[in-house]
Amino acid sequence: MSGATTAPARPRPVVQPWARPFWDSARRHELVLQHCNACNQAIHYPRVACPHCGGGDLGWRRASGRGTLYSFTVVESNAPSAFIADMPYVVAVVRLDEGVQMLSNVVQCDPGELRCDQPVEVVFERLDDEFTLPKFRPLR
Amino acid sequence: MNIRRGRTAIVGTGEVPTGRFPDRSAIEIALDAARLAIRDAGIDKDEIDFVIPTTAVFSFQFSNELTTCRLVEELGLKNVSANATVFSGGSSSTNALRIASALIETGRARSILFVHCDKLGTGVSAQGGIDLFSTAGISMEWEVPFGQHYSTVAALATQRYKHETGTTDEQLSAVCVSNRKWAELNPNAYFRKPLTIDEVMASKMLSTPLRAKHSNMLFDGGAAFVVTSADHARELTDQPAYVLGEGGVVTHFAYHQEPDLTRFGWARAGRQAFLEAGIEPADIDVAEIYDSYPIYQLIAFEEIGLAPRGHAGRLHLEGATAPGGRIPTTTDGGMLSKGHIGAGGSVSLLVEAARQVMGRAGPRQVPGCRFAVETAVGGTYMDAQVTILGSDVPRGRPA
């Protein structure tokens, strides 16, 4: 509701304690996914218990970092205040090879060249000292 | 299956114009809508024994006043046993009707008043609205940090749907034009000037492929309705809107968790509703489809069985959904043309469905409207809610 004079800081993830390993790994440029040891399925986003079988025996596995663009959009106007300076930016739903979906940004690309189902790979972008966000770029 | 077909009915609706009303307080709008609904129902106000307000997104203070019985006091309702807010974002009206019907069927209540009012047009700024809807219903851990907001939410579904069905931007824009033609006939709609496909496609790009005129706009407004038992409904009015069937599917909280952004839960919700109503999609006379963005009108239209997959865009382009068309759709102009008032988007559509069935839709009245289907959605398209209203209760074809 304020004018555009001072843009608010980019929002930081509001982290739940059981998801902390995801963000700690991302800071080290590693993409990890929660894994259910009972039903052997990858889980994203991290849960307090397995959403498939309800079990509580959950661990972490390093992900391939590869997937495909399920869908994407290039934000050209009317962005939230904290993202106005980033326009144009790409928001995408990525289908990871492990079978889970993740919301992220596609970077290091020509937005006009993006296509649904094209292969992408993870890259990491530092937000601040605590957070590094996993993002994606077209697979080369 | 315990069929509840036609045991309750909407007997009155009230609605005030959608627009920008900086000089009208939220409670004034809410009371106007409530009094219109009570008058339309022809019911003594003191017959109302249960009040269900829903939340106004623009103000926690005002919402809290509704939750703490302000409507009961202001309206002077003398015989209310309970006042309880029902809120599920854009599907609040459906859930309120569902709960109201259950309370009436089980004898816990006799006549229930539902009221909605919001002031998203003048209660928040334009950028404030964008910012509000960059966190409302969006995961603060997994989506907000990546710039997700309601334009990107709709654009992601639109992009994938175009990819899978070959639907064109022109067909998507035809949804806006069809809904505008209905809004031209609705004195409560905000946008009433004729609109062309070229104008839609020339409007500013928001998030590809979604343009400004593909987007709803936020306004002030309010509506209300009264629900009672079918038996009492027949004492009050010659033409109640019977609640024939409903179906619902909750699919996600965080948008990226949705496994199919081109379908959601509509197919199952629609099957449940039609099964309960004892009719088929081909029997529908009027479709009031939740249209916060054109993509959602196309998806729900197809998935509940009104058109084959990938055909809805062409039907809109051909005029089948517009006034005089084969399947009149979103006849109050919808959120795209009447205007979006928060939870009121589907309140308007439910009220319009009831008006059509009751023969009270004025210049928009679809002649001989017997069955209307209405859809509602909350959050980032988190649920699929389908309601079928009818001017009579069909026999036969029991589940």
Side-chain angles (χ1 to χ4, degrees), chain A residues 14 16 23 44 46-47 70-74 76-79 81 83 89 95 101 105 117, chain B residues 127 131 140-142 146-147 155-156 159-160 163 204-208 256-259 261:
Chain A
V14 178
Q16 298 305 318
W23 296 108
H44 187 76
R47 306 296 213 280
Y70 175 57
S71 193
F72 66 94
T73 178
V74 187
E76 297 189 1
S77 52
N78 289 26
S81 295
F83 292 88
Y89 67 96
R95 283 190 163 160
Q101 293 183 173
N105 302 127
D117 295 331
Chain B
Q127 185 64 42
D131 290 347
M140 296 295 280
E141 185 164 11
W142 304 106
F146 299 97
L156 288 166
Q159 189 90 272
R160 185 71 198 184
H163 175 73
K204 181 173 70 172
M205 186 64 80
L206 301 182
S207 291
T208 59
H256 70 272
Q257 294 286 305
E258 168 60 49
L261 291 177

mmCIF file of all heavy atoms in Angstrom, chain A residues 14 16 23 44 46-47 70-74 76-79 81 83 89 95 101 105 117, chain B residues 127 131 140-142 146-147 155-156 159-160 163 204-208 256-259 261:
data_model
loop_
_atom_site.group_PDB
_atom_site.id
_atom_site.type_symbol
_atom_site.label_atom_id
_atom_site.label_comp_id
_atom_site.label_asym_id
_atom_site.label_seq_id
_atom_site.Cartn_x
_atom_site.Cartn_y
_atom_site.Cartn_z
ATOM 1 N N VAL A 14 9.680 -19.152 5.329
ATOM 2 C CA VAL A 14 9.307 -19.335 6.739
ATOM 3 C C VAL A 14 9.442 -20.831 7.020
ATOM 4 O O VAL A 14 8.599 -21.630 6.606
ATOM 5 C CB VAL A 14 7.872 -18.843 6.982
ATOM 6 C CG1 VAL A 14 7.466 -19.077 8.431
ATOM 7 C CG2 VAL A 14 7.753 -17.357 6.627
ATOM 8 N N GLN A 16 9.808 -24.537 8.571
ATOM 9 C CA GLN A 16 9.377 -25.463 9.622
ATOM 10 C C GLN A 16 10.586 -26.297 10.048
ATOM 11 O O GLN A 16 11.442 -26.643 9.219
ATOM 12 C CB GLN A 16 8.255 -26.368 9.115
ATOM 13 C CG GLN A 16 7.002 -25.605 8.715
ATOM 14 C CD GLN A 16 6.473 -24.715 9.830
ATOM 15 O OE1 GLN A 16 6.434 -25.112 10.992
ATOM 16 N NE2 GLN A 16 6.115 -23.483 9.472
ATOM 17 N N TRP A 23 16.995 -26.685 3.635
ATOM 18 C CA TRP A 23 17.557 -25.342 3.463
ATOM 19 C C TRP A 23 19.044 -25.319 3.798
ATOM 20 O O TRP A 23 19.810 -24.589 3.160
ATOM 21 C CB TRP A 23 16.770 -24.331 4.306
ATOM 22 C CG TRP A 23 15.342 -24.224 3.843
ATOM 23 C CD1 TRP A 23 14.227 -24.687 4.471
ATOM 24 C CD2 TRP A 23 14.893 -23.659 2.597
ATOM 25 N NE1 TRP A 23 13.102 -24.428 3.711
ATOM 26 C CE2 TRP A 23 13.483 -23.804 2.568
ATOM 27 C CE3 TRP A 23 15.534 -23.047 1.519
ATOM 28 C CZ2 TRP A 23 12.708 -23.351 1.488
ATOM 29 C CZ3 TRP A 23 14.764 -22.594 0.456
ATOM 30 C CH2 TRP A 23 13.367 -22.752 0.445
ATOM 31 N N HIS A 44 8.179 -34.192 -1.420
ATOM 32 C CA HIS A 44 8.439 -32.764 -1.437
ATOM 33 C C HIS A 44 7.099 -32.058 -1.504
ATOM 34 O O HIS A 44 6.246 -32.464 -2.294
ATOM 35 C CB HIS A 44 9.299 -32.330 -2.636
ATOM 36 C CG HIS A 44 9.678 -30.879 -2.534
ATOM 37 N ND1 HIS A 44 10.658 -30.437 -1.685
ATOM 38 C CD2 HIS A 44 9.154 -29.776 -3.119
ATOM 39 C CE1 HIS A 44 10.751 -29.117 -1.777
ATOM 40 N NE2 HIS A 44 9.847 -28.693 -2.630
ATOM 41 N N PRO A 46 8.906 -31.114 2.351
ATOM 42 C CA PRO A 46 9.103 -31.990 3.509
ATOM 43 C C PRO A 46 7.905 -31.964 4.462
ATOM 44 O O PRO A 46 7.303 -30.920 4.682
ATOM 45 C CB PRO A 46 10.342 -31.391 4.185
ATOM 46 C CG PRO A 46 11.019 -30.588 3.124
ATOM 47 C CD PRO A 46 9.939 -30.082 2.225
ATOM 48 N N ARG A 47 7.570 -33.138 4.970
ATOM 49 C CA ARG A 47 6.422 -33.267 5.871
ATOM 50 C C ARG A 47 6.880 -33.788 7.231
ATOM 51 O O ARG A 47 7.960 -34.364 7.366
ATOM 52 C CB ARG A 47 5.385 -34.249 5.312
ATOM 53 C CG ARG A 47 4.896 -33.958 3.911
ATOM 54 C CD ARG A 47 4.139 -32.653 3.815
ATOM 55 N NE ARG A 47 3.079 -32.713 2.814
ATOM 56 C CZ ARG A 47 3.270 -32.572 1.505
ATOM 57 N NH1 ARG A 47 4.482 -32.387 1.014
ATOM 58 N NH2 ARG A 47 2.239 -32.634 0.675
ATOM 59 N N TYR A 70 7.046 -28.606 -15.988
ATOM 60 C CA TYR A 70 5.635 -28.978 -16.123
ATOM 61 C C TYR A 70 4.850 -27.772 -16.659
ATOM 62 O O TYR A 70 4.081 -27.881 -17.604
ATOM 63 C CB TYR A 70 5.089 -29.457 -14.783
ATOM 64 C CG TYR A 70 3.612 -29.748 -14.792
ATOM 65 C CD1 TYR A 70 3.076 -30.668 -15.697
ATOM 66 C CD2 TYR A 70 2.754 -29.115 -13.911
ATOM 67 C CE1 TYR A 70 1.721 -30.938 -15.721
ATOM 68 C CE2 TYR A 70 1.396 -29.381 -13.924
ATOM 69 C CZ TYR A 70 0.881 -30.288 -14.831
ATOM 70 O OH TYR A 70 -0.471 -30.547 -14.849
ATOM 71 N N SER A 71 5.077 -26.614 -16.045
ATOM 72 C CA SER A 71 4.520 -25.387 -16.597
ATOM 73 C C SER A 71 5.356 -24.205 -16.128
ATOM 74 O O SER A 71 6.142 -24.332 -15.187
ATOM 75 C CB SER A 71 3.054 -25.188 -16.198
ATOM 76 O OG SER A 71 2.470 -24.166 -16.994
ATOM 77 N N PHE A 72 5.180 -23.063 -16.793
ATOM 78 C CA PHE A 72 5.986 -21.891 -16.463
ATOM 79 C C PHE A 72 5.231 -20.643 -16.900
ATOM 80 O O PHE A 72 4.298 -20.710 -17.714
ATOM 81 C CB PHE A 72 7.339 -21.943 -17.189
ATOM 82 C CG PHE A 72 7.202 -21.820 -18.684
ATOM 83 C CD1 PHE A 72 7.314 -20.586 -19.304
ATOM 84 C CD2 PHE A 72 6.906 -22.922 -19.453
ATOM 85 C CE1 PHE A 72 7.138 -20.460 -20.681
ATOM 86 C CE2 PHE A 72 6.724 -22.809 -20.829
ATOM 87 C CZ PHE A 72 6.848 -21.576 -21.441
ATOM 88 N N THR A 73 5.643 -19.513 -16.356
ATOM 89 C CA THR A 73 5.079 -18.226 -16.774
ATOM 90 C C THR A 73 6.126 -17.142 -16.590
ATOM 91 O O THR A 73 6.920 -17.202 -15.646
ATOM 92 C CB THR A 73 3.788 -17.893 -15.992
ATOM 93 O OG1 THR A 73 3.307 -16.602 -16.403
ATOM 94 C CG2 THR A 73 4.029 -17.857 -14.492
ATOM 95 N N VAL A 74 6.133 -16.180 -17.490
ATOM 96 C CA VAL A 74 7.060 -15.049 -17.402
ATOM 97 C C VAL A 74 6.293 -13.857 -16.834
ATOM 98 O O VAL A 74 5.332 -13.376 -17.448
ATOM 99 C CB VAL A 74 7.618 -14.684 -18.793
ATOM 100 C CG1 VAL A 74 8.713 -13.615 -18.645
ATOM 101 C CG2 VAL A 74 8.151 -15.926 -19.496
ATOM 102 N N GLU A 76 5.616 -10.281 -16.307
ATOM 103 C CA GLU A 76 6.013 -9.049 -16.999
ATOM 104 C C GLU A 76 5.472 -7.800 -16.327
ATOM 105 O O GLU A 76 6.018 -6.713 -16.516
ATOM 106 C CB GLU A 76 5.567 -9.101 -18.465
ATOM 107 C CG GLU A 76 6.243 -10.235 -19.230
ATOM 108 C CD GLU A 76 5.985 -10.176 -20.731
ATOM 109 O OE1 GLU A 76 5.301 -9.242 -21.188
ATOM 110 O OE2 GLU A 76 6.457 -11.089 -21.430
ATOM 111 N N SER A 77 4.381 -7.917 -15.565
ATOM 112 C CA SER A 77 3.858 -6.747 -14.835
ATOM 113 C C SER A 77 2.990 -7.212 -13.676
ATOM 114 O O SER A 77 2.685 -8.398 -13.554
ATOM 115 C CB SER A 77 3.081 -5.814 -15.771
ATOM 116 O OG SER A 77 2.116 -6.533 -16.489
ATOM 117 N N ASN A 78 2.614 -6.239 -12.829
ATOM 118 C CA ASN A 78 1.756 -6.489 -11.658
ATOM 119 C C ASN A 78 2.328 -7.531 -10.703
ATOM 120 O O ASN A 78 1.595 -8.339 -10.141
ATOM 121 C CB ASN A 78 0.345 -6.898 -12.093
ATOM 122 C CG ASN A 78 -0.428 -5.738 -12.687
ATOM 123 O OD1 ASN A 78 0.172 -4.791 -13.213
ATOM 124 N ND2 ASN A 78 -1.733 -5.768 -12.609
ATOM 125 N N ALA A 79 3.644 -7.527 -10.501
ATOM 126 C CA ALA A 79 4.268 -8.447 -9.549
ATOM 127 C C ALA A 79 4.040 -7.953 -8.125
ATOM 128 O O ALA A 79 3.781 -6.764 -7.897
ATOM 129 C CB ALA A 79 5.765 -8.555 -9.812
ATOM 130 N N SER A 81 5.136 -6.478 -4.579
ATOM 131 C CA SER A 81 6.082 -5.369 -4.396
ATOM 132 C C SER A 81 7.532 -5.848 -4.335
ATOM 133 O O SER A 81 8.415 -5.238 -4.944
ATOM 134 C CB SER A 81 5.744 -4.613 -3.111
ATOM 135 O OG SER A 81 4.492 -3.999 -3.220
ATOM 136 N N PHE A 83 8.992 -8.149 -5.708
ATOM 137 C CA PHE A 83 9.516 -8.761 -6.934
ATOM 138 C C PHE A 83 9.464 -7.824 -8.142
ATOM 139 O O PHE A 83 9.826 -8.229 -9.244
ATOM 140 C CB PHE A 83 8.756 -10.058 -7.232
ATOM 141 C CG PHE A 83 9.035 -11.146 -6.230
ATOM 142 C CD1 PHE A 83 8.273 -11.250 -5.073
ATOM 143 C CD2 PHE A 83 10.081 -12.036 -6.414
ATOM 144 C CE1 PHE A 83 8.541 -12.230 -4.134
ATOM 145 C CE2 PHE A 83 10.349 -13.015 -5.489
ATOM 146 C CZ PHE A 83 9.586 -13.112 -4.337
ATOM 147 N N TYR A 89 10.578 -12.091 -14.622
ATOM 148 C CA TYR A 89 11.130 -13.300 -14.011
ATOM 149 C C TYR A 89 10.207 -14.475 -14.296
ATOM 150 O O TYR A 89 9.030 -14.278 -14.620
ATOM 151 C CB TYR A 89 11.385 -13.118 -12.512
ATOM 152 C CG TYR A 89 10.154 -12.936 -11.646
ATOM 153 C CD1 TYR A 89 9.568 -14.016 -10.981
ATOM 154 C CD2 TYR A 89 9.587 -11.669 -11.454
ATOM 155 C CE1 TYR A 89 8.451 -13.854 -10.165
ATOM 156 C CE2 TYR A 89 8.475 -11.498 -10.639
ATOM 157 C CZ TYR A 89 7.906 -12.588 -9.991
ATOM 158 O OH TYR A 89 6.813 -12.421 -9.194
ATOM 159 N N ARG A 95 8.885 -30.746 -12.554
ATOM 160 C CA ARG A 95 8.703 -32.157 -12.187
ATOM 161 C C ARG A 95 10.082 -32.793 -12.108
ATOM 162 O O ARG A 95 10.741 -33.004 -13.137
ATOM 163 C CB ARG A 95 7.845 -32.880 -13.225
ATOM 164 C CG ARG A 95 6.388 -32.565 -13.069
ATOM 165 C CD ARG A 95 5.514 -33.461 -13.945
ATOM 166 N NE ARG A 95 4.140 -33.392 -13.452
ATOM 167 C CZ ARG A 95 3.067 -33.729 -14.162
ATOM 168 N NH1 ARG A 95 3.200 -34.189 -15.385
ATOM 169 N NH2 ARG A 95 1.854 -33.630 -13.640
ATOM 170 N N GLN A 101 6.981 -32.654 -7.447
ATOM 171 C CA GLN A 101 6.896 -31.329 -8.074
ATOM 172 C C GLN A 101 7.392 -30.259 -7.106
ATOM 173 O O GLN A 101 7.218 -30.378 -5.893
ATOM 174 C CB GLN A 101 5.457 -31.036 -8.504
ATOM 175 C CG GLN A 101 4.990 -31.945 -9.619
ATOM 176 C CD GLN A 101 3.590 -31.657 -10.141
ATOM 177 O OE1 GLN A 101 3.190 -32.261 -11.112
ATOM 178 N NE2 GLN A 101 2.840 -30.772 -9.509
ATOM 179 N N ASN A 105 11.992 -20.809 -9.741
ATOM 180 C CA ASN A 105 12.199 -19.864 -10.847
ATOM 181 C C ASN A 105 13.114 -20.521 -11.868
ATOM 182 O O ASN A 105 13.975 -21.323 -11.511
ATOM 183 C CB ASN A 105 12.855 -18.574 -10.348
ATOM 184 C CG ASN A 105 12.045 -17.878 -9.275
ATOM 185 O OD1 ASN A 105 12.560 -17.569 -8.201
ATOM 186 N ND2 ASN A 105 10.775 -17.638 -9.533
ATOM 187 N N ASP A 117 7.592 -29.136 -20.699
ATOM 188 C CA ASP A 117 8.234 -30.462 -20.762
ATOM 189 C C ASP A 117 9.724 -30.419 -21.107
ATOM 190 O O ASP A 117 10.350 -31.473 -21.239
ATOM 191 C CB ASP A 117 7.516 -31.411 -21.747
ATOM 192 C CG ASP A 117 6.103 -31.738 -21.289
ATOM 193 O OD1 ASP A 117 5.863 -31.731 -20.067
ATOM 194 O OD2 ASP A 117 5.243 -31.988 -22.158
ATOM 195 N N GLN B 127 -1.909 -2.040 -5.575
ATOM 196 C CA GLN B 127 -0.716 -2.835 -5.273
ATOM 197 C C GLN B 127 -0.924 -3.623 -3.975
ATOM 198 O O GLN B 127 -0.445 -4.742 -3.845
ATOM 199 C CB GLN B 127 0.515 -1.922 -5.150
ATOM 200 C CG GLN B 127 1.839 -2.673 -4.949
ATOM 201 C CD GLN B 127 2.210 -3.542 -6.145
ATOM 202 O OE1 GLN B 127 2.072 -3.152 -7.292
ATOM 203 N NE2 GLN B 127 2.673 -4.774 -5.865
ATOM 204 N N ASP B 131 -0.287 -7.564 -3.393
ATOM 205 C CA ASP B 131 0.549 -8.068 -2.295
ATOM 206 C C ASP B 131 -0.240 -8.982 -1.353
ATOM 207 O O ASP B 131 0.269 -10.011 -0.908
ATOM 208 C CB ASP B 131 1.162 -6.899 -1.525
ATOM 209 C CG ASP B 131 2.221 -6.159 -2.340
ATOM 210 O OD1 ASP B 131 2.642 -6.697 -3.388
ATOM 211 O OD2 ASP B 131 2.612 -5.044 -1.946
ATOM 212 N N MET B 140 4.239 -19.971 2.582
ATOM 213 C CA MET B 140 5.270 -19.004 2.946
ATOM 214 C C MET B 140 6.668 -19.618 2.869
ATOM 215 O O MET B 140 7.667 -18.905 2.851
ATOM 216 C CB MET B 140 5.023 -18.485 4.367
ATOM 217 C CG MET B 140 3.733 -17.697 4.533
ATOM 218 S SD MET B 140 3.726 -16.155 3.589
ATOM 219 C CE MET B 140 4.697 -15.112 4.668
ATOM 220 N N GLU B 141 6.745 -20.943 2.870
ATOM 221 C CA GLU B 141 8.054 -21.592 2.793
ATOM 222 C C GLU B 141 8.402 -21.993 1.363
ATOM 223 O O GLU B 141 9.544 -21.806 0.925
ATOM 224 C CB GLU B 141 8.083 -22.839 3.698
ATOM 225 C CG GLU B 141 9.466 -23.507 3.753
ATOM 226 C CD GLU B 141 9.629 -24.473 4.904
ATOM 227 O OE1 GLU B 141 8.626 -24.808 5.568
ATOM 228 O OE2 GLU B 141 10.774 -24.906 5.158
ATOM 229 N N TRP B 142 7.440 -22.490 0.614
ATOM 230 C CA TRP B 142 7.749 -23.164 -0.652
ATOM 231 C C TRP B 142 7.311 -22.413 -1.900
ATOM 232 O O TRP B 142 7.628 -22.829 -3.006
ATOM 233 C CB TRP B 142 7.139 -24.575 -0.642
ATOM 234 C CG TRP B 142 7.630 -25.326 0.540
ATOM 235 C CD1 TRP B 142 6.934 -25.635 1.672
ATOM 236 C CD2 TRP B 142 8.962 -25.800 0.760
ATOM 237 N NE1 TRP B 142 7.747 -26.272 2.569
ATOM 238 C CE2 TRP B 142 8.989 -26.396 2.039
ATOM 239 C CE3 TRP B 142 10.132 -25.798 -0.010
ATOM 240 C CZ2 TRP B 142 10.163 -26.961 2.564
ATOM 241 C CZ3 TRP B 142 11.286 -26.359 0.514
ATOM 242 C CH2 TRP B 142 11.300 -26.941 1.785
ATOM 243 N N PHE B 146 9.499 -17.383 -4.162
ATOM 244 C CA PHE B 146 9.786 -17.443 -5.595
ATOM 245 C C PHE B 146 8.888 -16.488 -6.407
ATOM 246 O O PHE B 146 8.871 -16.548 -7.631
ATOM 247 C CB PHE B 146 9.619 -18.882 -6.095
ATOM 248 C CG PHE B 146 10.554 -19.850 -5.416
ATOM 249 C CD1 PHE B 146 10.126 -20.613 -4.334
ATOM 250 C CD2 PHE B 146 11.878 -19.978 -5.829
ATOM 251 C CE1 PHE B 146 10.993 -21.483 -3.693
ATOM 252 C CE2 PHE B 146 12.753 -20.851 -5.189
ATOM 253 C CZ PHE B 146 12.310 -21.594 -4.114
ATOM 254 N N GLY B 147 8.148 -15.632 -5.718
ATOM 255 C CA GLY B 147 7.345 -14.630 -6.428
ATOM 256 C C GLY B 147 6.012 -15.135 -6.936
ATOM 257 O O GLY B 147 5.412 -14.538 -7.829
ATOM 258 N N ALA B 155 -1.686 -18.306 -14.580
ATOM 259 C CA ALA B 155 -0.890 -18.430 -15.805
ATOM 260 C C ALA B 155 -0.287 -19.832 -15.934
ATOM 261 O O ALA B 155 -0.191 -20.377 -17.039
ATOM 262 C CB ALA B 155 0.220 -17.376 -15.815
ATOM 263 N N LEU B 156 0.113 -20.422 -14.811
ATOM 264 C CA LEU B 156 0.704 -21.768 -14.859
ATOM 265 C C LEU B 156 -0.314 -22.788 -15.372
ATOM 266 O O LEU B 156 0.017 -23.666 -16.182
ATOM 267 C CB LEU B 156 1.217 -22.175 -13.470
ATOM 268 C CG LEU B 156 2.480 -21.448 -12.995
ATOM 269 C CD1 LEU B 156 2.701 -21.658 -11.503
ATOM 270 C CD2 LEU B 156 3.709 -21.922 -13.779
ATOM 271 N N GLN B 159 -0.915 -21.991 -19.230
ATOM 272 C CA GLN B 159 0.171 -22.440 -20.100
ATOM 273 C C GLN B 159 0.108 -23.954 -20.350
ATOM 274 O O GLN B 159 0.204 -24.430 -21.480
ATOM 275 C CB GLN B 159 1.504 -22.105 -19.425
ATOM 276 C CG GLN B 159 2.704 -22.304 -20.292
ATOM 277 C CD GLN B 159 3.032 -21.039 -21.067
ATOM 278 O OE1 GLN B 159 2.520 -20.822 -22.156
ATOM 279 N NE2 GLN B 159 3.861 -20.201 -20.495
ATOM 280 N N ARG B 160 -0.081 -24.713 -19.275
ATOM 281 C CA ARG B 160 -0.105 -26.171 -19.414
ATOM 282 C C ARG B 160 -1.358 -26.635 -20.187
ATOM 283 O O ARG B 160 -1.290 -27.545 -21.014
ATOM 284 C CB ARG B 160 -0.051 -26.826 -18.027
ATOM 285 C CG ARG B 160 0.045 -28.332 -18.067
ATOM 286 C CD ARG B 160 1.415 -28.784 -18.555
ATOM 287 N NE ARG B 160 1.403 -30.176 -19.002
ATOM 288 C CZ ARG B 160 2.489 -30.839 -19.412
ATOM 289 N NH1 ARG B 160 3.666 -30.250 -19.420
ATOM 290 N NH2 ARG B 160 2.403 -32.075 -19.814
ATOM 291 N N HIS B 163 -0.906 -26.084 -23.767
ATOM 292 C CA HIS B 163 0.039 -27.083 -24.267
ATOM 293 C C HIS B 163 -0.650 -28.427 -24.510
ATOM 294 O O HIS B 163 -0.397 -29.090 -25.512
ATOM 295 C CB HIS B 163 1.172 -27.241 -23.239
ATOM 296 C CG HIS B 163 2.158 -28.309 -23.551
ATOM 297 N ND1 HIS B 163 3.100 -28.175 -24.552
ATOM 298 C CD2 HIS B 163 2.360 -29.533 -23.003
ATOM 299 C CE1 HIS B 163 3.847 -29.280 -24.597
ATOM 300 N NE2 HIS B 163 3.414 -30.109 -23.678
ATOM 301 N N LYS B 204 -2.498 -5.299 -21.482
ATOM 302 C CA LYS B 204 -1.141 -5.481 -20.945
ATOM 303 C C LYS B 204 -0.877 -6.934 -20.530
ATOM 304 O O LYS B 204 -1.719 -7.580 -19.917
ATOM 305 C CB LYS B 204 -0.995 -4.556 -19.727
ATOM 306 C CG LYS B 204 0.354 -4.584 -19.059
ATOM 307 C CD LYS B 204 0.449 -3.520 -17.967
ATOM 308 C CE LYS B 204 -0.427 -3.828 -16.756
ATOM 309 N NZ LYS B 204 -0.185 -2.895 -15.631
ATOM 310 N N MET B 205 0.312 -7.430 -20.879
ATOM 311 C CA MET B 205 0.686 -8.768 -20.426
ATOM 312 C C MET B 205 1.010 -8.717 -18.940
ATOM 313 O O MET B 205 1.787 -7.877 -18.494
ATOM 314 C CB MET B 205 1.905 -9.267 -21.217
ATOM 315 C CG MET B 205 2.280 -10.707 -20.916
ATOM 316 S SD MET B 205 1.003 -11.902 -21.385
ATOM 317 C CE MET B 205 1.308 -12.045 -23.156
ATOM 318 N N LEU B 206 0.397 -9.623 -18.175
ATOM 319 C CA LEU B 206 0.727 -9.718 -16.740
ATOM 320 C C LEU B 206 1.779 -10.803 -16.547
ATOM 321 O O LEU B 206 2.942 -10.539 -16.263
ATOM 322 C CB LEU B 206 -0.523 -10.036 -15.912
ATOM 323 C CG LEU B 206 -1.688 -9.055 -15.994
ATOM 324 C CD1 LEU B 206 -2.816 -9.505 -15.071
ATOM 325 C CD2 LEU B 206 -1.257 -7.646 -15.627
ATOM 326 N N SER B 207 1.353 -12.048 -16.667
ATOM 327 C CA SER B 207 2.237 -13.214 -16.579
ATOM 328 C C SER B 207 1.874 -14.108 -17.746
ATOM 329 O O SER B 207 0.745 -14.594 -17.813
ATOM 330 C CB SER B 207 2.021 -13.962 -15.257
ATOM 331 O OG SER B 207 2.487 -13.200 -14.172
ATOM 332 N N THR B 208 2.808 -14.320 -18.665
ATOM 333 C CA THR B 208 2.482 -15.020 -19.911
ATOM 334 C C THR B 208 1.787 -16.351 -19.621
ATOM 335 O O THR B 208 2.216 -17.062 -18.721
ATOM 336 C CB THR B 208 3.753 -15.309 -20.727
ATOM 337 O OG1 THR B 208 4.632 -16.114 -19.929
ATOM 338 C CG2 THR B 208 4.445 -14.034 -21.158
ATOM 339 N N HIS B 256 1.766 -25.971 -6.256
ATOM 340 C CA HIS B 256 2.653 -26.885 -6.996
ATOM 341 C C HIS B 256 2.436 -28.344 -6.607
ATOM 342 O O HIS B 256 2.963 -29.242 -7.255
ATOM 343 C CB HIS B 256 4.123 -26.502 -6.767
ATOM 344 C CG HIS B 256 4.598 -26.797 -5.380
ATOM 345 N ND1 HIS B 256 4.465 -25.905 -4.349
ATOM 346 C CD2 HIS B 256 5.190 -27.900 -4.855
ATOM 347 C CE1 HIS B 256 4.967 -26.442 -3.243
ATOM 348 N NE2 HIS B 256 5.413 -27.648 -3.524
ATOM 349 N N GLN B 257 1.667 -28.594 -5.538
ATOM 350 C CA GLN B 257 1.379 -29.969 -5.141
ATOM 351 C C GLN B 257 0.289 -30.590 -6.017
ATOM 352 O O GLN B 257 0.095 -31.810 -6.006
ATOM 353 C CB GLN B 257 0.932 -30.019 -3.678
ATOM 354 C CG GLN B 257 2.024 -29.631 -2.702
ATOM 355 C CD GLN B 257 3.078 -30.715 -2.545
ATOM 356 O OE1 GLN B 257 2.757 -31.861 -2.231
ATOM 357 N NE2 GLN B 257 4.327 -30.375 -2.790
ATOM 358 N N GLU B 258 -0.455 -29.758 -6.734
ATOM 359 C CA GLU B 258 -1.548 -30.256 -7.576
ATOM 360 C C GLU B 258 -0.968 -31.098 -8.713
ATOM 361 O O GLU B 258 -0.158 -30.607 -9.504
ATOM 362 C CB GLU B 258 -2.337 -29.060 -8.132
ATOM 363 C CG GLU B 258 -3.309 -29.398 -9.246
ATOM 364 C CD GLU B 258 -4.376 -30.389 -8.811
ATOM 365 O OE1 GLU B 258 -4.992 -30.184 -7.764
ATOM 366 O OE2 GLU B 258 -4.570 -31.387 -9.541
ATOM 367 N N PRO B 259 -1.362 -32.372 -8.808
ATOM 368 C CA PRO B 259 -0.750 -33.226 -9.832
ATOM 369 C C PRO B 259 -1.189 -32.903 -11.256
ATOM 370 O O PRO B 259 -0.471 -33.197 -12.200
ATOM 371 C CB PRO B 259 -1.186 -34.640 -9.441
ATOM 372 C CG PRO B 259 -2.371 -34.446 -8.565
ATOM 373 C CD PRO B 259 -2.236 -33.107 -7.898
ATOM 374 N N LEU B 261 -2.650 -29.621 -13.237
ATOM 375 C CA LEU B 261 -3.103 -28.223 -13.259
ATOM 376 C C LEU B 261 -4.084 -27.956 -14.397
ATOM 377 O O LEU B 261 -4.539 -26.837 -14.567
ATOM 378 C CB LEU B 261 -1.903 -27.276 -13.394
ATOM 379 C CG LEU B 261 -0.963 -27.195 -12.189
ATOM 380 C CD1 LEU B 261 0.215 -26.269 -12.487
ATOM 381 C CD2 LEU B 261 -1.695 -26.723 -10.948
#
